[in-house]
Amino acid sequence: MKKMTLNVQGMSCGHCVQSIEGNVSELTGVDHVKVHLSEGNVDVTFDPDKVDLNEITEVIEEQGYDVA
C-alpha cells in the first residue's frame, strides 16, 4: 500500500468531504481516503498495482476541485 497526501483546492463544506471520500473510495485499489477540510488536503492509501495516482486525481478533479 502507498499513502499520499494531496493538496486539494475548492473544498469548503461537508458536502465536499462526502463527495470526495465517497467517489474516491469506490475506486478499485483504494484502501482508505480521508478529507481534512481545514487543512485543504486529502489522505489516500491505495494499492499502486490496482489504481494509479492519476486516476485518483481525475476523480477529484471531475467533481470540480483542483489538485495541486
Side-chain angles (χ1 to χ4, degrees):
M1 288 293 175
K2 185 173 184 177
K3 183 175 181 180
M4 297 285 298
T5 299
L6 306 174
N7 293 317
V8 180
Q9 299 174 350
M11 301 183 300
S12 61
C13 64
H15 173 72
C16 301
V17 173
Q18 292 175 344
S19 179
I20 291 173
E21 288 181 353
N23 286 292
V24 172
S25 66
E26 289 180 1
L27 290 171
T28 300
V30 172
D31 182 57
H32 180 78
V33 56
K34 177 67 178 163
V35 173
H36 301 280
L37 194 58
S38 59
E39 290 92 23
N41 61 40
V42 178
D43 292 333
V44 184
T45 305
F46 62 99
D47 182 344
D49 292 330
K50 295 181 180 176
V51 64
D52 65 30
L53 190 57
N54 287 334
E55 289 177 83
I56 295 168
T57 300
E58 283 178 17
V59 166
I60 295 170
E61 290 180 339
E62 285 173 358
Q63 296 172 71
Y65 307 104
D66 293 319
V67 179

